[in-house]
Amino acid sequence: MKKQLLLGAALLSLALLTACNSGNNNNKPKESSVSTAKSVLKKSASDLKTLLNASPKADMNQKLDSTIIPNYIGMTLDQANTIKDSLKDATFIQSLGNTIYRKDLPENTILAQSVEPGTKGHGQWVTFITSTQYENQATTTIDNAHF
């Protein structure tokens, strides 16, 4: 019970901190050189559908900084977790969102992320839309996916 209360208090504090910092200019996204990694939050539903239908390529040679959101698109969840673990003082939180049936991709390939790569982390939640090779494990379809 104490752990649940502490976790709830920590999440509430994080949400308040994020809300308070949302007006500063440190959260402005940088330009991304990878077109498939552009923030899908700025795109229409048809653009998200195009992104989710693409065959993403992971950028495993990107420069990493614990205060900046990396480009996870094209990586598997295991690769993303390895990168996050290597960023010991990371200032962002990863979470799993929708899962889309894509038999042409490795299991748990990240198709989209909710925060544009290059954005300052500062307590942001980065939600992933991933692939599954098992149709019965998909949580939604490409047409209905969202963060």
Side-chain angles (χ1 to χ4, degrees), residues 35-87:
S35 62
T36 59
K38 294 210 184 261
S39 173
V40 294
L41 296 178
K42 296 179 184 175
K43 295 181 175 230
S44 68
S46 63
D47 290 332
L48 177 58
K49 183 177 175 180
T50 300
L51 182 65
L52 296 176
N53 276 314
S55 295
K57 302 276 188 251
D59 180 6
M60 300 305 288
N61 297 316
Q62 61 187 299
K63 182 180 175 189
L64 298 175
D65 179 331
S66 63
T67 63
I68 305 295
I69 308 292
N71 179 6
Y72 289 114
I73 294 175
M75 294 181 191
T76 64
L77 283 177
D78 286 341
Q79 290 170 322
N81 288 330
T82 298
I83 285 178
K84 177 71 165 36
D85 290 345
S86 74
L87 300 171

Side-chain angles (χ1 to χ4, degrees), residues 1-17:
M1 183 69 169
K2 283 184 179 179
K3 286 182 182 179
Q4 290 172 331
L5 288 173
L6 288 173
L7 179 60
L11 290 174
L12 180 60
S13 297
L14 182 60
L16 290 172
L17 179 65

